[in-house]
């Protein structure tokens, strides 16, 4: 550790309401080193600042900032900072419903994946995971991450061509239209429509040029606009249009309309 630099440990951990996610773990460490240990879950790790070195199956590995590391369950590993300034990492632990045992061998052989698409998707997943009310987005992004991991680790078995299925896309859209306020999980939609979650996300995005969670939020914002113009306060509007709370409504309303709900329904002043 550099002279005059105090050891720092900043940790946040929680379990979101997203199927297959055991834990989310965000941490900033300067000098802490993990001893050899194992997890029951898959460890999906990105490092935002600094770097981590670790041993897995008696081989040394590293995690520069552009790498996604996937550590399999029940395989011992450790971890320590590479530089005196330590590291900042974001981790999501996944159960076996997201990644199967068939990937353990490939992940042991090559746990560090330098893939810009995967790195971007994992970052987007964590952004959704810290925001209450974005469970459908997190589930959608996690589904595509799992698909990407399988393609990278077992490319011969997982070569997906983008297939159009307008009938399935339309059925998902109709289901989302029926559940604008109450919403639904991607897992529930997959069960109702008898389709794989990743396939659902792909065919919907291909058909409409928008992801399912984006479509649902845009429908909710449309309803919110009508209620706001009718004079309803933003807090009530958020509850009646399916948003988690007023800040959740505000975030999506401003993104799609360019202004906050509180300012939206104001009449222009007479000049």
């Amino acid at each position: 550790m550099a002279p005059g630099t105090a050891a720092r440990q900043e940790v946040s951990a929680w379990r979101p309401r997203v199927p297959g996610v055991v834990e989310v773990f965000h941490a900033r460490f300067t000098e802490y080193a993990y001893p050899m240990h194992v997890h029951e879950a898959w460890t999906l790790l990105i490092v935002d600042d600094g770097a981590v070195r670790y041993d897995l199956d008696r081989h040394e590995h590293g995690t520069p900032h552009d790498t996604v590391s996937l550590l399999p369950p029940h395989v011992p590993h450790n971890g320590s900072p590479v530089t005196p300034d330590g590291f900042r990492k974001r981790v999501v632990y996944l159960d076996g419903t997201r990644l199967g045992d068939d990937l353990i061998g490939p992940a042991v052989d090559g746990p560090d994946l330098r893939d810009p698409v995967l790195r971007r998707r994992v970052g987007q997943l964590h952004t959704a995971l810290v925001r209450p009310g974005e469970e459908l987005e997190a589930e959608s992004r996690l589904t595509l991450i799992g698909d990407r991991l399988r393609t990278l680790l077992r490319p011969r078995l997982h070569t997906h061509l983008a297939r159009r299925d307008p009938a399935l896309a339309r059925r998902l859209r109709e289901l989302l239209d029926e559940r604008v306020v109450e919403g639904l999980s991607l897992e529930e939609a997959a069960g109702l429509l008898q389709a794989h979650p990743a396939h659902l996300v792909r065919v919907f995005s291909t058909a409409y040029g928008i992801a399912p969670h984006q479509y649902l939020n845009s429908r909710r914002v449309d309803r919110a606009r009508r209620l706001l113009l009718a004079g309803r306060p933003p807090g009530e509007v958020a509850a009646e249009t399916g948003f988690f709370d007023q800040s959740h409504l505000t975030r999506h309303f401003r993104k799609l309309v360019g202004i906050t709900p509180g300012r939206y329904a104001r009449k222009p002043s007479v000049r």
Side-chain angles (χ1 to χ4, degrees):
M1 186 168 59
T5 302
R8 294 177 59 193
Q9 295 186 15
E10 301 171 6
V11 171
S12 298
W14 69 98
R15 184 169 189 173
R17 296 182 301 168
V18 177
V21 177
V22 176
E23 180 185 339
V24 183
F25 184 80
H26 292 182
R28 168 82 166 92
F29 293 124
T30 52
E31 62 178 9
Y32 179 71
Y34 291 96
M36 294 298 292
H37 64 286
V38 299
H39 296 288
E40 291 186 16
W42 288 87
T43 302
L44 186 64
L45 164 73
I46 57 175
V47 175
D48 296 304
D49 292 312
V52 179
R53 67 153 304 279
Y54 66 94
D55 299 302
L56 179 76
D57 194 38
R58 299 180 297 279
H59 291 86
E60 184 175 332
H61 300 277
T63 60
H65 70 277
D66 59 348
T67 299
V68 176
S69 295
L70 180 67
L71 311 184
H74 309 298
V75 179
H77 60 277
N78 56 11
S80 59
V82 173
T83 66
D85 292 330
F87 60 88
R88 182 167 57 90
K89 69 176 183 177
R90 289 180 288 173
V91 186
V92 59
Y93 295 97
L94 307 173
D95 67 22
T97 64
R98 289 291 177 178
L99 298 171
D101 289 349
D102 61 307
L103 295 181
I104 291 178
V108 169
D109 293 339
D112 299 320
L113 303 166
R114 304 190 73 169
D115 181 79
V117 173
L118 178 63
R119 180 62 174 78
R120 182 175 67 252
R121 286 179 178 175
V122 174
Q124 292 169 333
L125 169 65
H126 280 280
T127 299
L129 287 170
V130 300
R131 293 174 172 173
E134 304 295 359
E135 287 80 13
L136 178 58
E137 177 181 353
E139 194 178 359
S140 298
R141 296 198 182 282
L142 185 54
T143 296
L144 294 179
I145 287 168
D147 211 35
R148 186 76 176 180
L149 287 168
R150 284 184 284 271
T151 298
L152 293 169
L153 291 170
R154 306 195 71 181
R156 293 183 181 179
L157 298 181
H158 299 277
T159 53
H160 294 290
L161 298 176
R163 297 200 308 270
R164 294 182 180 275
D165 193 339
L168 181 60
R170 184 177 65 254
R171 289 166 61 202
L172 177 55
R173 186 188 67 184
E174 292 169 351
L175 188 58
L176 291 171
D177 289 340
E178 293 171 3
R179 306 279 192 92
V180 170
V181 176
E182 58 268 46
L184 80 163
S185 70
L186 189 59
E187 185 178 50
E188 182 183 3
L192 291 171
L193 300 178
Q194 296 297 298
H196 191 278
H199 183 58
L200 276 182
V201 175
R202 284 195 299 268
V203 298
F204 191 93
S205 301
T206 299
Y208 300 113
I210 189 173
H213 67 272
Q214 294 173 313
Y215 177 82
L216 182 64
N217 285 327
S218 65
R219 288 296 316 276
R220 287 173 169 173
V221 167
D222 269 351
R223 290 194 177 192
R225 293 172 75 153
R226 294 196 295 270
L227 293 175
L228 290 166
L229 289 175
R232 302 290 294 280
E236 291 182 8
V237 170
E240 293 188 23
T241 52
F243 289 101
F244 181 80
D245 55 19
Q246 186 172 335
S247 64
H248 188 204
L249 165 66
T250 298
R251 182 165 64 249
H252 288 285
F253 199 94
R254 184 160 46 195
K255 183 188 300 182
L256 292 175
V257 185
I259 195 172
T260 65
R263 296 179 59 193
Y264 175 73
R266 294 179 182 176
K267 294 182 180 179
S269 58
V270 179
R271 296 184 178 179

